[in-house]
């Protein structure tokens, strides 16, 4: 309804960041070096290979879920024809743009399974297969080659989607052709479907199958909820970053932060709802093959990680983000975003690491090396993608609506 | 004693540009309503329905049919209460038969109203204003129908107070660890909150009816119901804050209600019931069936009461899209359930799902899958989702499918319990069938009364989405409405 | 037509409505609690019997032990009402012609039971076992009151589920030495609860509060 | 129209813009007690009117916290404390299972507070309002906008205010007259209330009569088929059998499992048809205690606890001067000291002369226990110091 307030489109040069490419290259180099360091440490340290694989999976999944969050955001904005979000959509597009590379980085954990290395995925261990009747039942699905095919499909689908949407969005900056938007609106619905299926099975394959005896139908939704929280937290932080640099100053306003904050709040609640559903039903059903998974996460210091998630990922941010005042205050919102991004990492850590150190939570040097290594590659890619392209979809037909957006 | 300071300006009738409400053109937002609407016309159009002097014959015919159905239901309930639950088909091993199926079915239908009122409100979806009153009313009537089944399922309805923590001679308390008790709290909280939400939304419109009422009875009735509302800015201020708060409260509530309903099944260890995706899957299914019901009722209602310019094809199309989306979610849950049943490796779980698709109830399962997953696929095509007949057909089938979904979950899993010697094939009795059929009578009776005497469209809210409602509109009067 | 306007007093009336609603709610709840409680419904039932048998005379003044007539109370769930023959142990020679005892004589002559009206009648879905209680030290008096002082037997306890549970959850005050179970006048020396607790410990009394204890 | 019955002035406007402009003017003119009226919420009017944010959200937060604490306390107290009952191995109070109800009550209480709080803050319901009597005001809920200024405002001056409003582009300005109707609740309502209150006293009075008296009719049973099930219970009546008894008499000579006693002497007190002497099994202290207890219950009433034949029944019969009464035997009679034990057993079992049989009341072993106790009782009257165990003899000397 805000179309009455006419706001002129921002100038291209003002909203196009420059000088990020160099920083991006630096980050890539730094990341690559740390990745090498991680691998070296993996070879050198005792039990290092197992930790390397776990740490690598943690790092890659963290950034893949960020990318997936970005993709989800982009798709949904087109699906529902949202107007308010146009000014932050480009940031999400760039996040999604990391998916092809991050997807490729999954290979180091997939390939070992082809050779019977069960340090990460125990189901890949031939001894395990020989001994476990349950695993033999699941072997048609849980085997290295099929996993490779599936991961290729996931990454392929993501790459296709990212390319299709990002390319058109960028092209529109030049042409202003509304048919691009129409094209994407039409394709958004089937794309969301493909997104949902790939994300679900990605979650099953890469995370749930770490404990191959365990299963939960809601698991895909759980990972999705976490990704969405991480996405909105990242969007807030990125928007603040570029507001600070100047590209988004006066474009992303308190109103947009308010809305991002609302969505962040909503998905914090959604994550809590899904996590509670999964936990409560398993707790109540009390079937050993299911409860074992939560039991593992209640052993030793894992208990505190679980509690940290309960409070840090749900209760505290829920209360903290309840107030309208917080959502409209940049620094308060940013603090919660930082916390939630961190909590998303803890969440994934909590999903992945108990198979490595069942006796209690532990962090190794390799974990840091993996995380900062993959993070360097991720950031490097991100900066280079952002560099030289307008951070605002300049000629998006709904840009005016977004610029003039007011929370009523 | 009136001083006229300025002459009343005549309504400017600018020739309305022909706009396609279904346009996908991203460069402009199609209007939410068609034709020339202003505050006066909306008031007249909506109030006109409730103020009509002579009730149309068609209304009487529909009302008579509904009351007959309702009477049949109450007769069946009386028979049931007099004779006991044995008059139903419920027995071992299917101890939860049609009553629970019907309960979940009606509660599910009752989800769309609050969703439209609350969640779409939070999402700033202006189009909801045309249909939210209608959908909220539907919610409340559906919850009324839903509440009947668990209430009579306890067999001795006069003992229903055991469900609440009321001190009693038994000196015992309800078991709060039971999901059935959670249900009691969830459904009661939902019914009460929805009722308050609905009623609060109606207060300004009831005031409109009060101020226009001709007869003394109506003046008194609407006068009491509207509580002396004067539409003052201070009242609106608190009213809007309250509306926002209620929307914020109703949103998690609506999620929780069907989640809790799903807990009834999912906390157990029955194969086919104990699965973690049940809460969101049930919620999606509830929205799915609720929207289908709204569309089913809306199509004839807008035609019959002349509301086509307020509830446009666009409204119906959006609802069809939501039906498609939630239908896909339900289909997703079906698929994941099947996959995990295999992946989990538990032979009982595997059997439960193979039995669904290939056992004696395969007909029910495939009816469900067809109606819920295949049929809504028609809505991918814009031609079909904007065709009233297709829409009507799909929505009715969706509700058939959703009834069967509950049937599949409840009956199939129970009919094949862990002890093969007690396996049985569930057959409903005539009482089962007539009670369920009659519950539609209750639903439509309430609904027809609502259509006849209450504001069917939230006038005050619709007015807020008119361009004239915004400050500065006068300055841009020459601009086409957007 | 003149519009209808609510007169000013309606405002005052509306103010009063919450008070009236509150009072009505309190009234209704109170009425229900007062009227529907077993203390109202069940206690005080003293039906007329075919023979005006006086427990006060027999069990009180003559000090005949409860078990003289209710022979099965220690072995069975049901505390048997004596057959006519038991009455005739004495009444063949004491008051053999009393008109009050005519139903007794007729019953004996026709070999039919006397149709006593049951005073303490639990619902049929309750399974109460007398033997389980009296052999563990729960006296007759705990449930039936001072029958030895009753001219006409009357229900003095609610015998409701809550009332049963009260004792099952906390039996100590009602547990006494087994040889004092049929001594209705017995009062514990000192603290009844303390004594009960000791006896419970000695004899391992731990009453169940499972549903299936009474409902099977 | 006198100034005294002027409640205020109402000015009407055609659209939102003129309303907003007018509100601004009125406020600038210093008015406090005025309000704007519109058929829908006008956005942006709050700052113009100077409306401060409502406290409602805080009230709702309070209600929500109350709901949370109340629900948790309720569930803990009822299930975890007051009625601790283990069900399917779940903890008495487990947080996961307590969350659904807690959540629902948070929402429910918050929703109540929202709805009723909104009404209370808006002082609704307020059915009588001078504005609602004002002729033109009816359209404000449809398609008109209005400003009302109360005469009670400090700045209010009938003429000047009217001028001000007229100058704001109002379509018209209308006087709003005070409501002159009576503010006193009519007598008939009060009378009805009194009558209602009086009638309300009747049910408690009836209940009190029921509660504090005795009655000969049984309690009310709502659910007769549960309270009185169609099943046979001990000593109940039944329509199924001709004799009307639910309990069937066993066939003559029926013995329950375990009741058959092999030893003829133990079972009948006779050996080969002759009354026997001695006891069929060893008498220990427990048997003696049992015998004493049974003797006191069944024999003592006539024979007296001391066996002298002066039991309470005998005393009573004598005091009634019953002609048919035959005094009970003194059990310390010389004759009884020498009869064989089998005789005593036989008498208890089958009765003798005026004494009825006690086989129904006393089991076989109980009868032997009574015989044993009787022997001890008799002995107590004829004992010598030699009968006392040697280590205790000293106490009796």
């Amino acid at each position: 309804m805000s179309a009455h307030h006419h706001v002129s489109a921002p100038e291209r040069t003002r909203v196009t960041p420059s000088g990020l490419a160099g920083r991006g290259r630096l980050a890539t180099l730094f990341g690559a070096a740390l990745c090498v360091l991680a691998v070296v440490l993996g070879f050198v340290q005792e039990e290092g290979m197992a930790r390397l694989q776990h740490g690598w999976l943690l790092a890659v999944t963290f950034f893949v879920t960020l990318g997936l969050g970005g993709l989800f955001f982009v798709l949904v904005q087109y699906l529902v024809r949202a107007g308010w979000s146009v000014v932050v959509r480009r940031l999400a597009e760039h996040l999604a743009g990391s998916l092809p590379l991050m997807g490729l980085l999954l290979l180091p954990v997939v390939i070992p399974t082809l050779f019977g290395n069960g340090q990460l995925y125990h189901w890949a261990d031939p001894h395990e297969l020989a001994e476990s009747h349950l695993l033999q039942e699941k072997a048609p699905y849980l085997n290295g080659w099929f996993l490779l095919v599936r991961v290729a499909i996931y990454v392929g689908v993501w790459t296709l989607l990212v390319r299709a949407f990002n390319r058109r969005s960028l092209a529109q900056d030049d042409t202003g052709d509304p048919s691009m938007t129409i094209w994407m609106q039409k394709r958004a619905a089937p794309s969301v479907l493909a997104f949902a299926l790939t994300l679900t099975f990605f979650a099953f394959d890469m995370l749930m199958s770490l404990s191959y005896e365990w299963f939960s139908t809601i698991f895909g939704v759980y990972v999705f909820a976490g990704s969405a929280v991480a996405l909105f937290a990242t969007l807030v932080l990125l928007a603040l970053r570029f507001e600070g640099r100047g590209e988004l100053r006066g474009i992303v306003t308190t109103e947009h932060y308010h809305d991002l904050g609302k969505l962040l709040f909503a998905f914090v609640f959604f994550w809590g709802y899904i996590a509670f559903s999964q936990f409560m039903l398993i707790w109540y059903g009390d079937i050993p093959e299911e409860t074992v998974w939560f039991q593992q996460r209640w052993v030793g210091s894992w208990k505190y990680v679980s509690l940290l998630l309960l409070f840090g990922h749900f209760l505290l941010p829920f209360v903290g983000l309840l107030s309208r005042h917080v959502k409209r205050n940049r620094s308060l919102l940013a603090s919660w975003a930082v916390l939630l991004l961190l909590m998303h990492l803890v969440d994934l850590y909590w999903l992945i690491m108990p198979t490595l150190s069942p006796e209690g939570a532990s962090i190794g040097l390799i974990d840091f090396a993996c995380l900062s290594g993959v993070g360097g590659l991720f950031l490097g890619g991100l900066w280079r993608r952002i560099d030289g392209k307008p951070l605002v979809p300049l000629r998006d037909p709904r840009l005016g609506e977004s610029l003039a957006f007011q929370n009523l | 004693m009136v001083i006229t300071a300025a002459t009343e300006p005549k309504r400017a009738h600018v020739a309305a540009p022909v706009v396609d409400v279904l346009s996908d053109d991203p460069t402009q937002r199609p209007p939410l309503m068609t034709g020339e609407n202003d505050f006066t016309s909306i008031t007249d159009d909506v109030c006109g329905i409730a103020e009509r002097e002579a009730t149309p014959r068609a209304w009487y015919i529909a009302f008579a049919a509904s009351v007959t159905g309702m009477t049949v239901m109450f007769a069946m309930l009386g028979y049931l209460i007099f004779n006991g639950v044995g008059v139903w088909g419920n027995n071992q091993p299917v101890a939860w038969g049609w009553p629970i199926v019907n309960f979940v079915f009606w509660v599910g239908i009752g989800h769309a109203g609050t969703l439209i009122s609350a969640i779409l409100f939070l999402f700033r979806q202006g189009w909801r204003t045309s249909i939210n009153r209608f959908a909220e009313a539907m919610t409340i009537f559906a919850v009324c129908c839903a509440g009947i089944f668990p209430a009579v399922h306890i067999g001795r309805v006069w003992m229903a107070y055991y469900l609440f923590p009321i001190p009693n001679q038994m000196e015992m308390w309800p078991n709060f660890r039971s999901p059935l008790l959670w249900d009691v709290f969830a459904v009661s909280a939902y019914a009460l909150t929805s009722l308050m939400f609905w009623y609060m939304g109606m207060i300004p419109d009831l005031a409109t009816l009060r101020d226009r009422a001709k007869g003394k009875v109506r003046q008194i009735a609407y006068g009491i119901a509207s509580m002396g509302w004067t539409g003052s800015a201070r009242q609106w201020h608190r009213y809007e804050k309250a509306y926002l708060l209620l929307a914020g409260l109703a949103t998690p509530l609506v999620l929780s209600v069907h989640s809790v309903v799903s807990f009834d099944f999912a906390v157990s260890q029955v194969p086919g019931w104990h699965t973690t995706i049940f809460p969101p899957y049930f919620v999606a299914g509830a929205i799915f069936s609720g929207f289908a019901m709204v569309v089913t009722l809306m199509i004839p209602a807008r035609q019959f009461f002349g509301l086509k310019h307020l509830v446009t094809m666009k409204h119906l199309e959006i609802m069809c899209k939501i039906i498609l989306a939630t239908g896909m979610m339900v289909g997703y849950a079906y698929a994941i359930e099947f996959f995990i049943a295999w992946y989990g490796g538990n032979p009982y779980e595997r059997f439960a799902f193979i039995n669904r698709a290939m056992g004696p109830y395969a007909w029910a399962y495939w009816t469900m899958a067809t109606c819920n997953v295949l049929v809504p696929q028609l809505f991918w095509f814009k031609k079909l989702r904007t065709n009233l007949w297709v829409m009507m057909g799909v929505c009715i089938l969706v509700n058939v499918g959703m009834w069967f979904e509950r049937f599949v979950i409840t009956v199939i899993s129970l009919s094949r319990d862990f002890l093969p010697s007690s396996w049985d094939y569930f057959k409903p009795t005539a009482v089962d069938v007539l009670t369920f059929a009659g519950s539609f009578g209750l639903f439509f009776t309430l609904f027809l009364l609502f259509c006849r005497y209450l504001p069917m469209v939230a006038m005050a809210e619709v007015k807020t989405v008119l361009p004239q409602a915004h400050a500065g509109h006068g300055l841009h009067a020459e601009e086409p409405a957007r | 037509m003149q519009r209808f306007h609510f007169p000013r007093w309606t405002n005052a009336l509306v103010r009063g409505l919450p008070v009236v609603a509150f009072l009505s709610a309190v009234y209704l709840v109170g009425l229900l609690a007062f009227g529907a409680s077993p203390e109202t419904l069940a206690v005080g039932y003293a039906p007329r019997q075919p023979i005006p048998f006086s427990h006060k005379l027999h069990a009180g003044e003559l000090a005949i032990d409860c078990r003289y007539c209710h022979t099965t109370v220690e072995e069975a769930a049901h505390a048997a009402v004596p057959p006519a023959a038991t009455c005739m142990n004495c009444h063949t020679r004491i008051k053999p012609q009393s008109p009050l005892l005519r139903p007794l004589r007729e019953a004996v002559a026709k070999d039919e039971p006397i149709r006593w009206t049951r005073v303490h009648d639990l619902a049929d879905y309750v399974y109460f076992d007398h033997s389980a209680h009296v052999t563990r030290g729960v006296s007759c008096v705990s449930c039936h009151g001072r029958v030895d002082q009753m001219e006409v037997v009357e229900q003095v306890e609610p015998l409701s589920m809550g009332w049963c549970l009260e004792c099952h959850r906390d039996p100590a005050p009602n547990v006494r030495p087994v040889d004092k179970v049929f001594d209705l006048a017995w009062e514990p020396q000192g603290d009844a609860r303390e004594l009960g607790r000791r006896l419970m410990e000695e004899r391992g009394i731990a009453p169940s509060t499972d549903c299936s204890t009474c409902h099977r | 129209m006198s100034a005294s019955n002027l409640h205020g002035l109402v000015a009407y406007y055609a659209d939102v813009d003129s309303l907003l402009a007018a509100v601004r003017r009125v406020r600038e003119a210093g008015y406090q007690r005025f309000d704007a009226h519109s058929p829908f919420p006008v956005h942006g009017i709050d700052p113009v009117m100077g409306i401060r944010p409502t406290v409602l959200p805080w009230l709702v937060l309070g209600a929500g916290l109350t709901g949370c604490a109340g629900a948790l306390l309720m569930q803990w107290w009822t299930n975890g404390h007051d009625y601790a009952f283990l069900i399917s191995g779940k903890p008495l109070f487990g947080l996961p299972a307590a969350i659904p109800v807690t959540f629902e009550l948070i929402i429910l209480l918050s929703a109540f507070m929202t709805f009723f709080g909104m009404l209370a803050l808006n002082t609704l319901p307020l059915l009588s309002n001078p504005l609602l009597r004002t002729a033109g005001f009816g359209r404000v809920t449809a398609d008109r906008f209005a400003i009302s200024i109360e005469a009670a405002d400090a700045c209010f001056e009938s003429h000047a205010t009217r001028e001000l409003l007229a100058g704001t582009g109002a379509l018209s300005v209308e006087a709003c007259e005070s409501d002159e109707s009576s503010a006193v609740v009519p007598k008939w309502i009060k009378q009805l209330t009194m009558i209602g209150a009086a009638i309300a006293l009747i049910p408690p009075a009836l209940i009190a009569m029921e509660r504090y008296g005795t009655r000969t009719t049984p309690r009310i049973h709502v659910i007769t088929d549960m309270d009185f099930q169609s099943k046979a219970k001990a000593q109940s009546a039944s329509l199924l059998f001709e004799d009307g008894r639910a309990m069937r008499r066993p066939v003559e000579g029926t013995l329950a499992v375990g009741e058959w006693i092999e030893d003829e002497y133990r079972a009948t007190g006779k050996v080969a048809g002759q009354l026997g002497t001695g006891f069929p099994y060893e008498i220990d202290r427990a048997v003696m205690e049992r015998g004493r207890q049974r003797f006191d219950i069944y024999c003592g009433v006539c024979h007296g606890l001391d066996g002298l034949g002066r039991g309470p029944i005998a005393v009573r019969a004598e005091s009634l001067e019953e002609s048919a009464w035959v005094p009970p035997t003194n059990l310390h009679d010389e004759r009884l000291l020498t009869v064989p034990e089998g005789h005593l057993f036989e008498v208890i079992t089958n009765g003798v002369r005026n004494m009825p049989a006690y086989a129904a009341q006393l089991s076989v072993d109980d009868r032997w226990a009574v015989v044993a106790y009787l022997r001890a009782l008799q002995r107590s009257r004829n004992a010598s110091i030699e009968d006392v165990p040697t280590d205790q003899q000293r106490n009796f000397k």
Side-chain angles (χ1 to χ4, degrees), chain D residues 21 49 63-64 125 147 231 239:
Chain D
M49 285 206 31
I147 292 179
K231 66 181 177 190
L239 295 174

Side-chain angles (χ1 to χ4, degrees), chain D residues 159-383:
Chain D
H159 191 68
T161 307
R162 190 181 297 263
E163 288 290 304
L164 171 78
L165 286 172
T168 56
L171 298 173
S172 61
V173 179
E174 192 182 1
C176 169
E177 287 168 38
S178 297
D179 189 350
E180 298 296 310
S181 60
S182 167
V184 182
V185 176
K187 237 191 196 122
W188 61 270
I189 291 186
K190 289 181 181 159
Q191 283 164 347
L192 271 183
T193 316
M194 298 304 283
I195 293 170
I199 292 173
L201 288 176
I202 297 173
L206 291 175
I207 292 171
M209 277 169 62
E210 189 73 8
R211 187 178 177 109
Y212 300 114
T214 59
R215 66 189 177 285
T216 54
T217 48
R219 62 163 292 185
I220 303 159
H221 290 267
V222 184
I223 330 163
T224 49
D225 59 339
M226 283 285 277
D227 287 0
F228 307 105
Q229 298 168 3
S230 52
K231 66 181 177 190
K233 293 179 82 171
Q235 292 193 311
S236 60
S238 167
L239 295 174
L240 192 63
F241 300 103
E242 204 183 355
D243 62 1
R245 301 172 194 246
M247 288 164 83
R248 309 316 304 144
R249 288 193 227 206
V251 176
E252 200 68 41
T254 308
L255 275 179
V257 173
E259 238 178 47
W260 168 248
I261 294 169
E262 192 73 47
D263 180 359
E264 188 206 354
Y265 180 54
R266 185 168 177 176
T268 63
K270 293 175 182 168
V271 179
Q274 296 300 310
L275 294 170
T277 314
F279 291 92
Y281 54 88
E282 199 183 330
I283 304 302
D284 56 12
R285 190 174 183 88
V287 174
M288 201 56 96
E289 289 286 351
R290 176 78 184 168
R292 174 189 182 143
Q293 191 197 52
R294 295 292 119 173
F295 180 90
D296 287 356
I297 297 169
Y298 297 105
C299 315
V301 285
C302 288
H303 294 289
L305 297 181
D306 51 8
L308 288 170
R310 300 282 306 155
I313 300 292
V315 174
R316 168 86 176 166
E318 278 163 31
S319 72
L320 288 174
E321 298 179 356
E322 288 288 349
S323 54
W325 181 253
V326 180
T329 308
N330 176 357
L331 298 176
H332 300 288
D333 195 278
E334 206 63 31
R335 180 178 62 84
L336 290 177
L337 296 178
T338 52
V339 291
E341 279 76 16
H343 173 75
L344 296 172
F345 180 87
E346 222 274 332
V347 167
I348 297 172
T349 308
N350 296 319
V352 63
R353 293 185 300 275
N354 294 307
M355 175 176 154
Y358 275 84
Q361 282 95 329
L362 289 165
S363 71
V364 170
D365 284 355
D366 275 354
R367 281 171 240 160
W368 283 116
V370 168
V371 173
Y373 176 67
L374 176 57
R375 281 292 183 232
L377 198 63
Q378 290 171 336
R379 181 85 169 272
S380 70
R381 296 236 153 200
N382 298 298

Side-chain angles (χ1 to χ4, degrees), chain D residues 7-228:
Chain D
H7 175 76
L9 288 172
V10 188
Y12 299 104
Y13 303 88
D15 54 45
V16 174
D17 288 322
S18 30
L19 176 76
L20 284 174
V23 166
R24 206 166 277 128
R25 288 270 301 277
V26 171
R27 189 162 175 232
E28 277 162 7
Y31 287 91
Q32 302 281 329
R33 305 188 60 158
F34 72 101
D35 214 331
H37 303 265
S38 53
F40 56 85
V42 173
H43 290 294
I45 201 169
D46 293 358
V48 180
M49 285 206 31
I51 297 175
R52 280 204 308 258
T54 164
V55 296
L56 194 58
W58 293 106
L59 297 178
V60 172
L61 182 68
L65 292 175
T66 311
C68 180
L72 287 173
L73 265 177
M74 172 180 76
Q75 292 179 79
W76 167 79
W77 189 76
T78 54
N79 280 185
H81 178 76
D82 186 50
Y83 177 48
F85 194 59
L86 197 63
I87 292 170
S88 69
K90 297 282 169 297
L92 291 176
F93 177 70
L95 208 51
I99 282 176
V101 170
T102 309
F103 179 82
E104 302 302 337
L105 286 185
I106 292 175
I107 299 284
L108 186 63
L109 261 68
S110 304
F112 275 133
M113 182 52 95
T114 311
F115 181 67
F116 292 108
M118 185 278 286
L119 289 183
L121 290 173
N122 278 337
T123 61
L124 295 176
L126 192 73
L127 298 180
S128 165
N129 185 337
L131 285 173
L132 296 177
R133 297 174 163 254
T134 311
F137 198 77
R139 279 186 71 181
V140 165
T141 52
D143 51 8
R144 263 298 168 274
F145 304 85
I147 292 179
S148 64
I149 301 181
E150 285 180 41
D153 193 293
C155 300
F156 190 87
E157 199 280 304
S158 180
H159 191 68
T161 307
R162 190 181 297 263
E163 288 290 304
L164 171 78
L165 286 172
T168 56
L171 298 173
S172 61
V173 179
E174 192 182 1
C176 169
E177 287 168 38
S178 297
D179 189 350
E180 298 296 310
S181 60
S182 167
V184 182
V185 176
K187 237 191 196 122
W188 61 270
I189 291 186
K190 289 181 181 159
Q191 283 164 347
L192 271 183
T193 316
M194 298 304 283
I195 293 170
I199 292 173
L201 288 176
I202 297 173
L206 291 175
I207 292 171
M209 277 169 62
E210 189 73 8
R211 187 178 177 109
Y212 300 114
T214 59
R215 66 189 177 285
T216 54
T217 48
R219 62 163 292 185
I220 303 159
H221 290 267
V222 184
I223 330 163
T224 49
D225 59 339
M226 283 285 277
D227 287 0
F228 307 105

Side-chain angles (χ1 to χ4, degrees), chain B residues 101 104-106 108-109 258 281-290 292 326-327 330 334 367-369 371-373 395-409:
Chain B
V101 176
V104 183
F105 172 76
W106 277 119
I109 293 210
H258 227 57
Y281 150 48
F282 264 52
V283 172
I287 296 166
F288 183 46
S289 64
T326 46
V330 170
Y334 295 162
T367 308
M368 167 195 99
C371 292
N372 289 351
V373 184
C395 289
I396 289 174
L397 282 179
V398 162
N399 265 320
V400 171
M402 283 309 291
W403 189 87
F404 271 100
E405 180 190 298
R406 283 63 180 251
F407 180 85
V408 162
I409 293 171

